[in-house]
Amino acid sequence: MVYAKTALDINEQAIVKQVALGLPQSLKDIEKSVNINSGSMNLEGVKQVGLLAKQQLSAIGFDVQWLDGSAFNRAGHILATHQSSNPNAVKILMIGHLDTVFAKNDDFQTFKMLNESEAAGPGVADMKGGNTIIISAMRVLKKLNLLDNVSIKVLLTGDEESSGRPLSLSKKVIVDGAIWADIALGYENGDNNINTGMAARRGYTGWTLNVEGKPAHSSQIFNEEVGYGAIYETARILEAFRAELEQEENLTFNPGMIVGGTSIDFDVAKSSGSAFGKSNVIAQKTKVKGDLRALSNKQLKSAKQTMQNIVKNNLNHTKAELIFEVGYPPMALTQGNLDLLALYSQVSQDLGYNEVKAANPRKAGAADISFAAEHVDMSLDGLGLMGSGAHTKNEVADLTTLDKNIEKTAILIYRLTKHEK
């Protein structure tokens, strides 16, 4: 699609005025949501936040469903649908999430205004503020009768911070929504820079390296009958990963935990391990847990193959296996994504704000939109409430970005309605 540059028309001017009028309600909505603890495993709390969103979206006129998540050991998701009567209307999937990283017994529990432009609270920026931007923009467009020529699904997942397993079940609603849609918009806070948008996101894949060596007295290490032991082999593998792959642009791989010795134990649920070993005994076993992040499926596949080749080239009397988990796919940088970013940037500039450029994908983690990106013509993320300190007790939202990003979302969707498929 090609979009002409334009100043604000009469409907867009009305959107700006309506956003300003609705801003006090938007702030109240954020406060209500933040004050409900919704740590991913607080299933009842996540559901409460979902029911609050259901009330808000139902009042706008959306058909809202609560999708139970018991099949993947999470609370569930909110799916709200507005269906245009125009069969050629553009179809947009808007993605947020209900859960936070803060557990039910965490002492960081409440919304607090710090000053006129900042507020603190669990999930205030990541991403209850982003959810509010979605809902507030829908409220404005409905009030101005500007939703007739667009079909929208609002999907607020309940397990973004701690994904339910299997992913084929917990993320199915995202994939199904993306297959339906033409465009996907994500309301994470991205790199927390209002002048950037996430036109690409790296995927996330966990991996486990298991290594075994031949136990013996340490005086016999390196000889032909005994070999090198598990720890030396593990060191060889990890150093080879670094040496062969660290120069690959936008690719990272991190061994986050290692345990090794004569015998080892590892608790998956607690991400903790223990080992027994002595300095005069050659280590028999090691285990390493890590992650791998790539910007495209091609890059991911190539990196996995390189790592597997390294793992197979074992030192004498050792063996190793590398197991990759099913993870978040990459949101690759595509021309469609860049075109959507350009349109969003033009909206920003027409409003008198800054140009919005593509964010460095190294500055943000994986997100739910990655499960949608390969199924739509265009996708863009990082459109939520900006802030700092996400995932910590220092999480703060920059409230000066709230009205700006509601305006940009509402006008972006309005402009998309003027272009049939």
Side-chain angles (χ1 to χ4, degrees), residues 77-112:
H77 311 310
I78 282 288
L79 179 62
T81 304
H82 161 77
Q83 188 69 47
S84 172
S85 60
N86 178 358
N88 294 315
V90 66
K91 295 183 286 189
I92 301 174
L93 176 66
M94 305 178 77
I95 303 171
H97 65 83
L98 306 166
D99 61 323
T100 74
V101 299
F102 301 97
K104 188 175 183 178
N105 61 356
D106 201 294
D107 59 8
F108 187 48
Q109 292 285 1
T110 57
F111 178 91
K112 181 181 179 181

PDB file of all heavy atoms in Angstrom, residues 77-112:
ATOM      1  N   HIS A  77      -7.097 -16.155  28.488  1.00  0.00           N
ATOM      2  CA  HIS A  77      -6.946 -14.961  27.667  1.00  0.00           C
ATOM      3  C   HIS A  77      -8.291 -14.256  27.479  1.00  0.00           C
ATOM      4  O   HIS A  77      -9.347 -14.885  27.557  1.00  0.00           O
ATOM      5  CB  HIS A  77      -6.428 -15.322  26.265  1.00  0.00           C
ATOM      6  CG  HIS A  77      -5.242 -16.236  26.241  1.00  0.00           C
ATOM      7  ND1 HIS A  77      -4.111 -16.016  26.988  1.00  0.00           N
ATOM      8  CD2 HIS A  77      -5.008 -17.381  25.531  1.00  0.00           C
ATOM      9  CE1 HIS A  77      -3.227 -16.987  26.739  1.00  0.00           C
ATOM     10  NE2 HIS A  77      -3.752 -17.822  25.866  1.00  0.00           N
ATOM     11  N   ILE A  78      -8.216 -12.965  27.186  1.00  0.00           N
ATOM     12  CA  ILE A  78      -9.385 -12.192  26.753  1.00  0.00           C
ATOM     13  C   ILE A  78      -9.304 -12.005  25.244  1.00  0.00           C
ATOM     14  O   ILE A  78      -8.266 -11.585  24.715  1.00  0.00           O
ATOM     15  CB  ILE A  78      -9.423 -10.808  27.441  1.00  0.00           C
ATOM     16  CG1 ILE A  78      -9.938 -10.927  28.867  1.00  0.00           C
ATOM     17  CG2 ILE A  78     -10.300  -9.823  26.655  1.00  0.00           C
ATOM     18  CD1 ILE A  78     -11.408 -11.220  29.000  1.00  0.00           C
ATOM     19  N   LEU A  79     -10.395 -12.316  24.543  1.00  0.00           N
ATOM     20  CA  LEU A  79     -10.480 -12.081  23.103  1.00  0.00           C
ATOM     21  C   LEU A  79     -11.747 -11.266  22.836  1.00  0.00           C
ATOM     22  O   LEU A  79     -12.854 -11.717  23.101  1.00  0.00           O
ATOM     23  CB  LEU A  79     -10.535 -13.391  22.325  1.00  0.00           C
ATOM     24  CG  LEU A  79     -10.653 -13.255  20.797  1.00  0.00           C
ATOM     25  CD1 LEU A  79      -9.434 -12.532  20.217  1.00  0.00           C
ATOM     26  CD2 LEU A  79     -10.816 -14.620  20.133  1.00  0.00           C
ATOM     27  N   ALA A  80     -11.563 -10.056  22.340  1.00  0.00           N
ATOM     28  CA  ALA A  80     -12.677  -9.142  22.065  1.00  0.00           C
ATOM     29  C   ALA A  80     -12.717  -8.848  20.572  1.00  0.00           C
ATOM     30  O   ALA A  80     -11.685  -8.539  19.968  1.00  0.00           O
ATOM     31  CB  ALA A  80     -12.507  -7.843  22.849  1.00  0.00           C
ATOM     32  N   THR A  81     -13.908  -8.941  19.973  1.00  0.00           N
ATOM     33  CA  THR A  81     -14.032  -8.821  18.519  1.00  0.00           C
ATOM     34  C   THR A  81     -15.042  -7.745  18.135  1.00  0.00           C
ATOM     35  O   THR A  81     -16.149  -7.689  18.675  1.00  0.00           O
ATOM     36  CB  THR A  81     -14.484 -10.157  17.905  1.00  0.00           C
ATOM     37  OG1 THR A  81     -13.566 -11.187  18.282  1.00  0.00           O
ATOM     38  CG2 THR A  81     -14.544 -10.072  16.381  1.00  0.00           C
ATOM     39  N   HIS A  82     -14.630  -6.914  17.196  1.00  0.00           N
ATOM     40  CA  HIS A  82     -15.539  -5.991  16.519  1.00  0.00           C
ATOM     41  C   HIS A  82     -15.496  -6.349  15.039  1.00  0.00           C
ATOM     42  O   HIS A  82     -14.434  -6.290  14.414  1.00  0.00           O
ATOM     43  CB  HIS A  82     -15.108  -4.532  16.710  1.00  0.00           C
ATOM     44  CG  HIS A  82     -15.707  -3.591  15.711  1.00  0.00           C
ATOM     45  ND1 HIS A  82     -17.016  -3.150  15.793  1.00  0.00           N
ATOM     46  CD2 HIS A  82     -15.191  -3.034  14.579  1.00  0.00           C
ATOM     47  CE1 HIS A  82     -17.272  -2.362  14.759  1.00  0.00           C
ATOM     48  NE2 HIS A  82     -16.177  -2.269  14.017  1.00  0.00           N
ATOM     49  N   GLN A  83     -16.619  -6.748  14.487  1.00  0.00           N
ATOM     50  CA  GLN A  83     -16.675  -7.206  13.096  1.00  0.00           C
ATOM     51  C   GLN A  83     -17.392  -6.176  12.231  1.00  0.00           C
ATOM     52  O   GLN A  83     -18.554  -5.861  12.472  1.00  0.00           O
ATOM     53  CB  GLN A  83     -17.411  -8.544  13.004  1.00  0.00           C
ATOM     54  CG  GLN A  83     -17.363  -9.188  11.637  1.00  0.00           C
ATOM     55  CD  GLN A  83     -15.965  -9.676  11.269  1.00  0.00           C
ATOM     56  OE1 GLN A  83     -15.291 -10.333  12.053  1.00  0.00           O
ATOM     57  NE2 GLN A  83     -15.519  -9.340  10.061  1.00  0.00           N
ATOM     58  N   SER A  84     -16.704  -5.657  11.233  1.00  0.00           N
ATOM     59  CA  SER A  84     -17.319  -4.715  10.299  1.00  0.00           C
ATOM     60  C   SER A  84     -18.240  -5.463   9.344  1.00  0.00           C
ATOM     61  O   SER A  84     -17.989  -6.619   8.991  1.00  0.00           O
ATOM     62  CB  SER A  84     -16.237  -3.984   9.502  1.00  0.00           C
ATOM     63  OG  SER A  84     -16.805  -3.207   8.461  1.00  0.00           O
ATOM     64  N   SER A  85     -19.289  -4.788   8.911  1.00  0.00           N
ATOM     65  CA  SER A  85     -20.188  -5.370   7.900  1.00  0.00           C
ATOM     66  C   SER A  85     -19.594  -5.288   6.506  1.00  0.00           C
ATOM     67  O   SER A  85     -20.102  -5.918   5.573  1.00  0.00           O
ATOM     68  CB  SER A  85     -21.546  -4.654   7.932  1.00  0.00           C
ATOM     69  OG  SER A  85     -21.371  -3.268   7.661  1.00  0.00           O
ATOM     70  N   ASN A  86     -18.518  -4.539   6.353  1.00  0.00           N
ATOM     71  CA  ASN A  86     -17.839  -4.397   5.056  1.00  0.00           C
ATOM     72  C   ASN A  86     -16.899  -5.592   4.854  1.00  0.00           C
ATOM     73  O   ASN A  86     -15.912  -5.731   5.587  1.00  0.00           O
ATOM     74  CB  ASN A  86     -17.051  -3.093   5.020  1.00  0.00           C
ATOM     75  CG  ASN A  86     -16.278  -2.903   3.716  1.00  0.00           C
ATOM     76  OD1 ASN A  86     -16.288  -3.751   2.831  1.00  0.00           O
ATOM     77  ND2 ASN A  86     -15.598  -1.778   3.601  1.00  0.00           N
ATOM     78  N   PRO A  87     -17.169  -6.459   3.880  1.00  0.00           N
ATOM     79  CA  PRO A  87     -16.320  -7.653   3.700  1.00  0.00           C
ATOM     80  C   PRO A  87     -14.896  -7.318   3.283  1.00  0.00           C
ATOM     81  O   PRO A  87     -13.997  -8.160   3.406  1.00  0.00           O
ATOM     82  CB  PRO A  87     -17.051  -8.448   2.604  1.00  0.00           C
ATOM     83  CG  PRO A  87     -17.856  -7.429   1.868  1.00  0.00           C
ATOM     84  CD  PRO A  87     -18.263  -6.411   2.885  1.00  0.00           C
ATOM     85  N   ASN A  88     -14.677  -6.107   2.797  1.00  0.00           N
ATOM     86  CA  ASN A  88     -13.338  -5.700   2.369  1.00  0.00           C
ATOM     87  C   ASN A  88     -12.619  -4.846   3.409  1.00  0.00           C
ATOM     88  O   ASN A  88     -11.553  -4.293   3.131  1.00  0.00           O
ATOM     89  CB  ASN A  88     -13.419  -4.932   1.054  1.00  0.00           C
ATOM     90  CG  ASN A  88     -13.890  -5.811  -0.095  1.00  0.00           C
ATOM     91  OD1 ASN A  88     -13.425  -6.939  -0.241  1.00  0.00           O
ATOM     92  ND2 ASN A  88     -14.828  -5.317  -0.885  1.00  0.00           N
ATOM     93  N   ALA A  89     -13.206  -4.721   4.579  1.00  0.00           N
ATOM     94  CA  ALA A  89     -12.587  -3.908   5.623  1.00  0.00           C
ATOM     95  C   ALA A  89     -11.262  -4.518   6.063  1.00  0.00           C
ATOM     96  O   ALA A  89     -11.098  -5.743   6.107  1.00  0.00           O
ATOM     97  CB  ALA A  89     -13.527  -3.794   6.818  1.00  0.00           C
ATOM     98  N   VAL A  90     -10.303  -3.664   6.394  1.00  0.00           N
ATOM     99  CA  VAL A  90      -9.021  -4.137   6.910  1.00  0.00           C
ATOM    100  C   VAL A  90      -9.258  -4.812   8.249  1.00  0.00           C
ATOM    101  O   VAL A  90     -10.130  -4.418   9.030  1.00  0.00           O
ATOM    102  CB  VAL A  90      -8.015  -2.968   7.028  1.00  0.00           C
ATOM    103  CG1 VAL A  90      -8.441  -1.963   8.081  1.00  0.00           C
ATOM    104  CG2 VAL A  90      -6.605  -3.480   7.294  1.00  0.00           C
ATOM    105  N   LYS A  91      -8.483  -5.855   8.533  1.00  0.00           N
ATOM    106  CA  LYS A  91      -8.622  -6.628   9.770  1.00  0.00           C
ATOM    107  C   LYS A  91      -7.346  -6.480  10.603  1.00  0.00           C
ATOM    108  O   LYS A  91      -6.249  -6.779  10.119  1.00  0.00           O
ATOM    109  CB  LYS A  91      -8.907  -8.094   9.454  1.00  0.00           C
ATOM    110  CG  LYS A  91     -10.255  -8.314   8.759  1.00  0.00           C
ATOM    111  CD  LYS A  91     -10.559  -9.777   8.527  1.00  0.00           C
ATOM    112  CE  LYS A  91      -9.727 -10.354   7.405  1.00  0.00           C
ATOM    113  NZ  LYS A  91     -10.162 -11.722   7.014  1.00  0.00           N
ATOM    114  N   ILE A  92      -7.534  -6.035  11.833  1.00  0.00           N
ATOM    115  CA  ILE A  92      -6.398  -5.701  12.695  1.00  0.00           C
ATOM    116  C   ILE A  92      -6.453  -6.516  13.977  1.00  0.00           C
ATOM    117  O   ILE A  92      -7.488  -6.561  14.647  1.00  0.00           O
ATOM    118  CB  ILE A  92      -6.382  -4.194  13.028  1.00  0.00           C
ATOM    119  CG1 ILE A  92      -6.287  -3.361  11.746  1.00  0.00           C
ATOM    120  CG2 ILE A  92      -5.215  -3.863  13.955  1.00  0.00           C
ATOM    121  CD1 ILE A  92      -6.410  -1.863  11.969  1.00  0.00           C
ATOM    122  N   LEU A  93      -5.335  -7.131  14.326  1.00  0.00           N
ATOM    123  CA  LEU A  93      -5.172  -7.830  15.603  1.00  0.00           C
ATOM    124  C   LEU A  93      -4.345  -6.942  16.519  1.00  0.00           C
ATOM    125  O   LEU A  93      -3.224  -6.545  16.179  1.00  0.00           O
ATOM    126  CB  LEU A  93      -4.460  -9.166  15.392  1.00  0.00           C
ATOM    127  CG  LEU A  93      -4.133  -9.975  16.645  1.00  0.00           C
ATOM    128  CD1 LEU A  93      -5.414 -10.443  17.342  1.00  0.00           C
ATOM    129  CD2 LEU A  93      -3.243 -11.173  16.293  1.00  0.00           C
ATOM    130  N   MET A  94      -4.899  -6.598  17.697  1.00  0.00           N
ATOM    131  CA  MET A  94      -4.209  -5.760  18.679  1.00  0.00           C
ATOM    132  C   MET A  94      -3.871  -6.629  19.885  1.00  0.00           C
ATOM    133  O   MET A  94      -4.743  -7.278  20.454  1.00  0.00           O
ATOM    134  CB  MET A  94      -5.086  -4.575  19.078  1.00  0.00           C
ATOM    135  CG  MET A  94      -5.551  -3.748  17.887  1.00  0.00           C
ATOM    136  SD  MET A  94      -6.640  -2.371  18.341  1.00  0.00           S
ATOM    137  CE  MET A  94      -5.430  -1.202  18.971  1.00  0.00           C
ATOM    138  N   ILE A  95      -2.591  -6.633  20.278  1.00  0.00           N
ATOM    139  CA  ILE A  95      -2.101  -7.600  21.263  1.00  0.00           C
ATOM    140  C   ILE A  95      -1.577  -6.917  22.518  1.00  0.00           C
ATOM    141  O   ILE A  95      -0.740  -6.014  22.456  1.00  0.00           O
ATOM    142  CB  ILE A  95      -0.985  -8.472  20.647  1.00  0.00           C
ATOM    143  CG1 ILE A  95      -1.490  -9.189  19.391  1.00  0.00           C
ATOM    144  CG2 ILE A  95      -0.461  -9.477  21.673  1.00  0.00           C
ATOM    145  CD1 ILE A  95      -0.396  -9.885  18.604  1.00  0.00           C
ATOM    146  N   GLY A  96      -2.075  -7.374  23.668  1.00  0.00           N
ATOM    147  CA  GLY A  96      -1.557  -6.964  24.966  1.00  0.00           C
ATOM    148  C   GLY A  96      -1.460  -8.179  25.868  1.00  0.00           C
ATOM    149  O   GLY A  96      -1.677  -9.301  25.435  1.00  0.00           O
ATOM    150  N   HIS A  97      -1.143  -7.961  27.154  1.00  0.00           N
ATOM    151  CA  HIS A  97      -1.180  -9.097  28.085  1.00  0.00           C
ATOM    152  C   HIS A  97      -1.597  -8.650  29.476  1.00  0.00           C
ATOM    153  O   HIS A  97      -1.340  -7.523  29.906  1.00  0.00           O
ATOM    154  CB  HIS A  97       0.132  -9.887  28.111  1.00  0.00           C
ATOM    155  CG  HIS A  97       1.342  -9.166  28.625  1.00  0.00           C
ATOM    156  ND1 HIS A  97       1.631  -9.056  29.971  1.00  0.00           N
ATOM    157  CD2 HIS A  97       2.368  -8.565  27.976  1.00  0.00           C
ATOM    158  CE1 HIS A  97       2.778  -8.411  30.131  1.00  0.00           C
ATOM    159  NE2 HIS A  97       3.245  -8.092  28.935  1.00  0.00           N
ATOM    160  N   LEU A  98      -2.270  -9.556  30.169  1.00  0.00           N
ATOM    161  CA  LEU A  98      -2.879  -9.295  31.473  1.00  0.00           C
ATOM    162  C   LEU A  98      -1.929  -9.544  32.632  1.00  0.00           C
ATOM    163  O   LEU A  98      -2.103  -8.979  33.713  1.00  0.00           O
ATOM    164  CB  LEU A  98      -4.099 -10.209  31.664  1.00  0.00           C
ATOM    165  CG  LEU A  98      -5.176 -10.176  30.576  1.00  0.00           C
ATOM    166  CD1 LEU A  98      -6.119 -11.356  30.742  1.00  0.00           C
ATOM    167  CD2 LEU A  98      -5.937  -8.861  30.614  1.00  0.00           C
ATOM    168  N   ASP A  99      -0.945 -10.403  32.446  1.00  0.00           N
ATOM    169  CA  ASP A  99      -0.103 -10.848  33.552  1.00  0.00           C
ATOM    170  C   ASP A  99       1.125  -9.971  33.744  1.00  0.00           C
ATOM    171  O   ASP A  99       1.539  -9.229  32.842  1.00  0.00           O
ATOM    172  CB  ASP A  99       0.309 -12.307  33.364  1.00  0.00           C
ATOM    173  CG  ASP A  99       1.126 -12.539  32.099  1.00  0.00           C
ATOM    174  OD1 ASP A  99       0.828 -11.892  31.061  1.00  0.00           O
ATOM    175  OD2 ASP A  99       2.067 -13.357  32.133  1.00  0.00           O
ATOM    176  N   THR A 100       1.703 -10.064  34.957  1.00  0.00           N
ATOM    177  CA  THR A 100       2.945  -9.374  35.272  1.00  0.00           C
ATOM    178  C   THR A 100       3.938 -10.388  35.843  1.00  0.00           C
ATOM    179  O   THR A 100       3.619 -11.560  36.032  1.00  0.00           O
ATOM    180  CB  THR A 100       2.730  -8.268  36.325  1.00  0.00           C
ATOM    181  OG1 THR A 100       2.535  -8.868  37.621  1.00  0.00           O
ATOM    182  CG2 THR A 100       1.533  -7.390  35.979  1.00  0.00           C
ATOM    183  N   VAL A 101       5.139  -9.911  36.163  1.00  0.00           N
ATOM    184  CA  VAL A 101       6.159 -10.784  36.757  1.00  0.00           C
ATOM    185  C   VAL A 101       6.083 -10.782  38.282  1.00  0.00           C
ATOM    186  O   VAL A 101       6.857 -11.480  38.942  1.00  0.00           O
ATOM    187  CB  VAL A 101       7.582 -10.359  36.333  1.00  0.00           C
ATOM    188  CG1 VAL A 101       7.739 -10.437  34.834  1.00  0.00           C
ATOM    189  CG2 VAL A 101       7.917  -8.966  36.848  1.00  0.00           C
ATOM    190  N   PHE A 102       5.161 -10.010  38.863  1.00  0.00           N
ATOM    191  CA  PHE A 102       5.131  -9.832  40.314  1.00  0.00           C
ATOM    192  C   PHE A 102       4.157 -10.804  40.970  1.00  0.00           C
ATOM    193  O   PHE A 102       2.952 -10.769  40.712  1.00  0.00           O
ATOM    194  CB  PHE A 102       4.767  -8.384  40.653  1.00  0.00           C
ATOM    195  CG  PHE A 102       5.743  -7.397  40.072  1.00  0.00           C
ATOM    196  CD1 PHE A 102       5.463  -6.760  38.868  1.00  0.00           C
ATOM    197  CD2 PHE A 102       6.942  -7.139  40.702  1.00  0.00           C
ATOM    198  CE1 PHE A 102       6.366  -5.865  38.313  1.00  0.00           C
ATOM    199  CE2 PHE A 102       7.858  -6.247  40.149  1.00  0.00           C
ATOM    200  CZ  PHE A 102       7.571  -5.613  38.958  1.00  0.00           C
ATOM    201  N   ALA A 103       4.676 -11.668  41.829  1.00  0.00           N
ATOM    202  CA  ALA A 103       3.879 -12.723  42.445  1.00  0.00           C
ATOM    203  C   ALA A 103       2.854 -12.162  43.426  1.00  0.00           C
ATOM    204  O   ALA A 103       2.941 -11.007  43.864  1.00  0.00           O
ATOM    205  CB  ALA A 103       4.791 -13.708  43.166  1.00  0.00           C
ATOM    206  N   LYS A 104       1.896 -13.024  43.787  1.00  0.00           N
ATOM    207  CA  LYS A 104       0.801 -12.623  44.672  1.00  0.00           C
ATOM    208  C   LYS A 104       1.301 -12.113  46.018  1.00  0.00           C
ATOM    209  O   LYS A 104       0.706 -11.217  46.622  1.00  0.00           O
ATOM    210  CB  LYS A 104      -0.140 -13.812  44.871  1.00  0.00           C
ATOM    211  CG  LYS A 104      -1.422 -13.489  45.599  1.00  0.00           C
ATOM    212  CD  LYS A 104      -2.337 -14.703  45.646  1.00  0.00           C
ATOM    213  CE  LYS A 104      -3.659 -14.371  46.323  1.00  0.00           C
ATOM    214  NZ  LYS A 104      -4.571 -15.544  46.336  1.00  0.00           N
ATOM    215  N   ASN A 105       2.395 -12.668  46.522  1.00  0.00           N
ATOM    216  CA  ASN A 105       2.921 -12.260  47.827  1.00  0.00           C
ATOM    217  C   ASN A 105       4.014 -11.205  47.735  1.00  0.00           C
ATOM    218  O   ASN A 105       4.673 -10.885  48.723  1.00  0.00           O
ATOM    219  CB  ASN A 105       3.443 -13.477  48.597  1.00  0.00           C
ATOM    220  CG  ASN A 105       4.577 -14.184  47.855  1.00  0.00           C
ATOM    221  OD1 ASN A 105       4.927 -13.814  46.739  1.00  0.00           O
ATOM    222  ND2 ASN A 105       5.145 -15.202  48.479  1.00  0.00           N
ATOM    223  N   ASP A 106       4.222 -10.627  46.562  1.00  0.00           N
ATOM    224  CA  ASP A 106       5.236  -9.591  46.393  1.00  0.00           C
ATOM    225  C   ASP A 106       4.808  -8.324  47.133  1.00  0.00           C
ATOM    226  O   ASP A 106       3.617  -8.008  47.203  1.00  0.00           O
ATOM    227  CB  ASP A 106       5.420  -9.286  44.895  1.00  0.00           C
ATOM    228  CG  ASP A 106       6.753  -8.627  44.600  1.00  0.00           C
ATOM    229  OD1 ASP A 106       6.958  -7.485  45.055  1.00  0.00           O
ATOM    230  OD2 ASP A 106       7.578  -9.236  43.912  1.00  0.00           O
ATOM    231  N   ASP A 107       5.763  -7.576  47.685  1.00  0.00           N
ATOM    232  CA  ASP A 107       5.397  -6.356  48.407  1.00  0.00           C
ATOM    233  C   ASP A 107       5.248  -5.143  47.486  1.00  0.00           C
ATOM    234  O   ASP A 107       4.928  -4.046  47.945  1.00  0.00           O
ATOM    235  CB  ASP A 107       6.396  -6.055  49.535  1.00  0.00           C
ATOM    236  CG  ASP A 107       7.825  -5.877  49.037  1.00  0.00           C
ATOM    237  OD1 ASP A 107       8.043  -5.834  47.812  1.00  0.00           O
ATOM    238  OD2 ASP A 107       8.737  -5.777  49.890  1.00  0.00           O
ATOM    239  N   PHE A 108       5.468  -5.343  46.194  1.00  0.00           N
ATOM    240  CA  PHE A 108       5.253  -4.268  45.203  1.00  0.00           C
ATOM    241  C   PHE A 108       3.876  -4.507  44.599  1.00  0.00           C
ATOM    242  O   PHE A 108       3.716  -5.279  43.672  1.00  0.00           O
ATOM    243  CB  PHE A 108       6.357  -4.343  44.141  1.00  0.00           C
ATOM    244  CG  PHE A 108       6.372  -3.202  43.154  1.00  0.00           C
ATOM    245  CD1 PHE A 108       6.288  -1.886  43.574  1.00  0.00           C
ATOM    246  CD2 PHE A 108       6.495  -3.450  41.797  1.00  0.00           C
ATOM    247  CE1 PHE A 108       6.326  -0.841  42.649  1.00  0.00           C
ATOM    248  CE2 PHE A 108       6.536  -2.428  40.868  1.00  0.00           C
ATOM    249  CZ  PHE A 108       6.450  -1.118  41.301  1.00  0.00           C
ATOM    250  N   GLN A 109       2.851  -3.818  45.127  1.00  0.00           N
ATOM    251  CA  GLN A 109       1.480  -4.218  44.811  1.00  0.00           C
ATOM    252  C   GLN A 109       0.577  -3.095  44.303  1.00  0.00           C
ATOM    253  O   GLN A 109      -0.456  -3.381  43.705  1.00  0.00           O
ATOM    254  CB  GLN A 109       0.812  -4.821  46.049  1.00  0.00           C
ATOM    255  CG  GLN A 109       1.377  -6.155  46.487  1.00  0.00           C
ATOM    256  CD  GLN A 109       0.941  -7.310  45.607  1.00  0.00           C
ATOM    257  OE1 GLN A 109       0.207  -7.122  44.633  1.00  0.00           O
ATOM    258  NE2 GLN A 109       1.405  -8.505  45.900  1.00  0.00           N
ATOM    259  N   THR A 110       0.910  -1.837  44.536  1.00  0.00           N
ATOM    260  CA  THR A 110      -0.077  -0.782  44.292  1.00  0.00           C
ATOM    261  C   THR A 110       0.421   0.325  43.376  1.00  0.00           C
ATOM    262  O   THR A 110       1.619   0.594  43.277  1.00  0.00           O
ATOM    263  CB  THR A 110      -0.521  -0.139  45.626  1.00  0.00           C
ATOM    264  OG1 THR A 110       0.631   0.373  46.314  1.00  0.00           O
ATOM    265  CG2 THR A 110      -1.217  -1.157  46.512  1.00  0.00           C
ATOM    266  N   PHE A 111      -0.551   0.942  42.731  1.00  0.00           N
ATOM    267  CA  PHE A 111      -0.326   2.096  41.866  1.00  0.00           C
ATOM    268  C   PHE A 111      -0.033   3.313  42.726  1.00  0.00           C
ATOM    269  O   PHE A 111      -0.692   3.541  43.742  1.00  0.00           O
ATOM    270  CB  PHE A 111      -1.576   2.341  41.025  1.00  0.00           C
ATOM    271  CG  PHE A 111      -1.506   3.534  40.110  1.00  0.00           C
ATOM    272  CD1 PHE A 111      -1.051   3.396  38.804  1.00  0.00           C
ATOM    273  CD2 PHE A 111      -1.924   4.786  40.542  1.00  0.00           C
ATOM    274  CE1 PHE A 111      -1.008   4.486  37.953  1.00  0.00           C
ATOM    275  CE2 PHE A 111      -1.886   5.878  39.694  1.00  0.00           C
ATOM    276  CZ  PHE A 111      -1.418   5.734  38.400  1.00  0.00           C
ATOM    277  N   LYS A 112       0.939   4.122  42.317  1.00  0.00           N
ATOM    278  CA  LYS A 112       1.272   5.332  43.057  1.00  0.00           C
ATOM    279  C   LYS A 112       1.725   6.426  42.107  1.00  0.00           C
ATOM    280  O   LYS A 112       2.636   6.219  41.309  1.00  0.00           O
ATOM    281  CB  LYS A 112       2.385   5.040  44.072  1.00  0.00           C
ATOM    282  CG  LYS A 112       2.784   6.246  44.920  1.00  0.00           C
ATOM    283  CD  LYS A 112       3.894   5.893  45.881  1.00  0.00           C
ATOM    284  CE  LYS A 112       4.304   7.101  46.715  1.00  0.00           C
ATOM    285  NZ  LYS A 112       5.413   6.770  47.655  1.00  0.00           N
TER     286      LYS A 112
END
